[in-house]
């Protein structure tokens, strides 16, 4: 991996800033079943952990790893924590490993994925970065194997080999680049400042709150007044992160926001003729908790629009109310 350092304006949202203590005894699990600095020792070993006794952690925003079993000196079975209140969904993973030895080589087996047919069948590989190399990189395909394992009762297992090349690093592994609720809130604050020149064209509002009292933001971009004629304005509504594990959609949504507030000629034309209503994170609780498909209460939002209630699906209800308001407004198409 490259040794170049990059400035990250969202550094304060990084998990690395808080991991500076020694890896002492830690055999418990964090909130909601995630491992919390769990050190894996070989059988018969007691006392202070030695270098090379790997320390696993997923007790951070968007983290997910429920259990770690030592198979042999070099091999570990990893168990994804199921979605809260919805144990049939187990696919998203995001965890860190530290207390490694120089040139230590391991095999990680993720043994309880709920989807046997997935993108790992089509050459997808996990991603990795470390505390001094913050750019995500794909693990080479030759080191990744997705297979049906007789050792694991015929279940499909994702196995990948990895070599730790630096001792004082914290290594992070994930299904896809995480995009957290905290990162979104920081970005939207920055976006408001960047869009300050768009008077009466840009606005950010909180349209609702989640079960755990997190914001649901809606960003509006577009000129409400039509200077050319009195025809109605077309409205485009865009939503992202109904499923927490689909983090790439947040990067797409951020790119879209950057584009439509820019001074690019196409962006100017779009703002003149279209009003965009963008909800960047529909399921903030699920994102925060590290779920794959579900909300805090175990609801799949893509299957809940027709039963949305203020107590169980407050974020969906807020969006539905917004859509009804748009539909009744005679200014919009």
């Amino acid at each position: 991996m490259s040794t170049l350092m990059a400035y990250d304006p969202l550094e304060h949202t990084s998990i690395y800033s808080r991991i500076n203590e020694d890896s002492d005894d830690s055999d418990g699990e964090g909130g909601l079943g995630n491992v919390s600095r769990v050190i894996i020792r070989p059988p018969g070993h007691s006392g202070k952990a030695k270098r090379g006794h790997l320390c696993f952690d997923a007790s951070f925003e968007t983290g997910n790893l429920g259990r770690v079993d030592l198979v042999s000196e070099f091999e570990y079975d990893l168990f994804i924590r199921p979605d809260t209140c919805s144990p049939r969904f187990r696919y998203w993973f995001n965890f860190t490993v530290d207390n490694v030895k120089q040139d230590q080589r391991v095999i990680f087996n993720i043994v309880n994925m709920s989807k046997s047919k997935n993108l790992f069948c089509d050459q997808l590989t996990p991603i990795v970065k470390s505390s001094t190399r913050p750019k995500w990189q794909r693990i080479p395909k030759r080191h990744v194997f997705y297979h049906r394992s007789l050792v694991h009762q015929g279940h499909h297992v994702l196995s990948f080999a990895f070599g730790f090349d630096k001792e004082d690093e914290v290594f992070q592994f994930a299904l896809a680049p995480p995009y957290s609720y905290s990162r979104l809130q920081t970005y939207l604050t920055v976006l408001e400042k960047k869009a300050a020149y768009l008077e009466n064209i840009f606005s950010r509002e909180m349209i609702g709150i989640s079960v755990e009292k997190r914001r649901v933001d809606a960003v509006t971009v577009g000129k409400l007044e039509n200077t050319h004629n009195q025809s109605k304005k077309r409205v485009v509504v865009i939503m992202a992160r109904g499923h927490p594990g689909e983090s790439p959609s947040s990067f797409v949504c951020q790119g879209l926001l950057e584009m439509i507030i820019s001074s690019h000629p196409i962006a100017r034309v779009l703002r003149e003729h279209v009003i965009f209503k963008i909800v960047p994170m529909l399921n903030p609780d699920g994102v925060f908790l590290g779920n794959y498909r579900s909300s805090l209460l175990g609801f799949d939002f893509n299957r809940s629009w027709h039963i949305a209630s203020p107590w169980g699906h407050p974020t969906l209800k807020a969006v539905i109310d917004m859509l009804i308001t748009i539909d009744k407004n005679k200014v919009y198409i």
Side-chain angles (χ1 to χ4, degrees):
M1 291 189 291
S2 172
T3 58
L4 292 177
M5 294 290 290
Y7 170 70
D8 183 3
L10 302 173
E11 184 179 5
H12 65 281
T13 67
S14 172
I15 60 174
Y16 301 126
S17 59
R18 65 171 185 80
I19 303 180
N20 51 20
E21 69 274 13
D22 291 335
S23 298
D24 292 326
D25 292 356
S26 178
D27 296 321
E29 291 186 350
L32 295 171
N34 278 335
V35 296
S36 179
R37 295 200 57 76
V38 169
I39 296 174
I40 304 301
R41 298 174 174 80
H45 185 276
S46 61
K48 186 177 176 65
K50 295 182 179 179
R51 179 69 69 176
H53 294 171
L54 299 187
C55 178
F56 292 83
D57 188 25
S59 58
F60 51 84
E61 187 175 354
T62 75
N64 188 311
L65 184 65
R67 191 177 108 201
V68 182
D69 289 349
L70 180 64
V71 177
S72 67
E73 182 181 358
F74 307 104
E75 190 172 0
Y76 301 77
D77 279 355
L78 311 181
F79 294 79
I80 295 172
R81 172 189 54 77
D83 281 11
T84 55
C85 302
S86 189
R88 66 195 182 100
F89 293 124
R90 304 177 307 276
Y91 191 59
W92 171 261
F93 58 90
N94 179 18
F95 61 92
T96 66
V97 179
D98 68 300
N99 199 42
V100 305
K101 284 195 305 186
Q102 180 78 32
D103 298 325
Q104 184 175 0
R105 290 173 170 79
V106 298
I107 296 174
F108 290 151
N109 305 311
I110 298 181
V111 302
N112 68 330
M113 284 187 169
S114 58
K115 296 176 64 176
S116 58
K117 294 182 179 180
N118 54 54
L119 290 177
F120 291 110
C121 299
D122 297 312
Q123 312 301 311
L124 179 71
T125 67
I127 57 175
V128 61
K129 68 176 184 177
S130 68
S131 42
T132 64
R133 292 163 291 185
K135 183 178 180 180
W136 288 106
Q137 296 193 29
R138 292 280 173 194
I139 296 175
K141 184 64 183 73
R142 64 182 181 276
H143 297 156
V144 180
F145 307 90
Y146 186 66
H147 57 103
R148 186 186 294 272
S149 172
L150 295 178
V151 177
H152 300 92
Q153 294 78 46
H155 294 164
H156 282 80
V157 172
L158 175 66
S159 300
F160 55 98
F162 191 78
F164 298 105
D165 56 352
K166 290 186 178 182
E167 285 197 351
D168 296 324
E169 295 277 272
V170 179
F171 294 84
Q172 184 176 0
F173 301 88
L175 172 69
Y179 195 110
S180 68
Y181 170 78
S182 296
R183 175 170 181 161
L184 174 67
Q185 292 303 307
T186 300
Y187 171 69
L188 292 179
T189 300
V190 173
L191 186 71
E192 285 183 288
K193 297 177 181 178
K194 293 175 68 173
Y197 78 100
L198 297 173
E199 297 182 7
N200 301 320
I201 296 179
F202 176 95
S203 67
R204 171 194 178 188
E205 61 178 321
M206 185 178 74
I207 61 171
I209 57 174
S210 68
V211 173
E212 289 196 319
K213 309 302 180 184
R214 296 185 178 92
R215 290 176 58 104
V216 179
D217 289 282
V219 175
T220 303
V221 182
K223 185 179 293 186
L224 184 58
E225 310 85 17
N226 194 327
T227 58
H228 299 293
N229 52 56
Q230 298 301 314
S231 62
K232 296 181 178 181
K233 299 297 291 288
R234 186 175 299 276
V235 180
V236 175
V237 178
I238 299 170
M239 291 167 280
R241 297 305 286 279
H243 291 156
E246 296 167 358
S247 58
S249 66
S250 284
F251 293 95
V252 174
C253 191
Q254 179 171 322
L256 172 66
L257 286 166
E258 290 286 340
M259 189 273 175
I260 61 175
I261 69 161
S262 72
S263 58
H264 192 281
I266 294 178
R268 292 177 179 175
V269 172
L270 286 172
R271 293 196 297 266
E272 186 72 28
H273 296 280
V274 179
I275 294 177
F276 291 91
K277 296 276 189 178
I278 301 174
V279 182
M281 192 167 285
L282 192 59
N283 190 350
D285 289 346
V287 170
F288 184 90
L289 295 169
N291 285 351
Y292 167 60
R293 194 176 178 93
S294 310
S295 67
L296 168 70
L297 300 179
F299 293 112
D300 181 345
F301 279 0
N302 270 16
R303 306 291 186 270
S304 301
W305 289 97
H306 63 299
I307 58 170
S309 65
W311 67 269
H313 324 78
T315 61
L316 283 188
K317 190 65 171 60
V319 172
I320 290 172
D321 291 344
M322 180 187 76
L323 294 174
I324 291 174
T325 299
I326 292 172
D327 186 58
K328 291 182 176 179
N329 193 324
K330 296 181 179 180
V331 177
Y332 303 139
I333 294 179

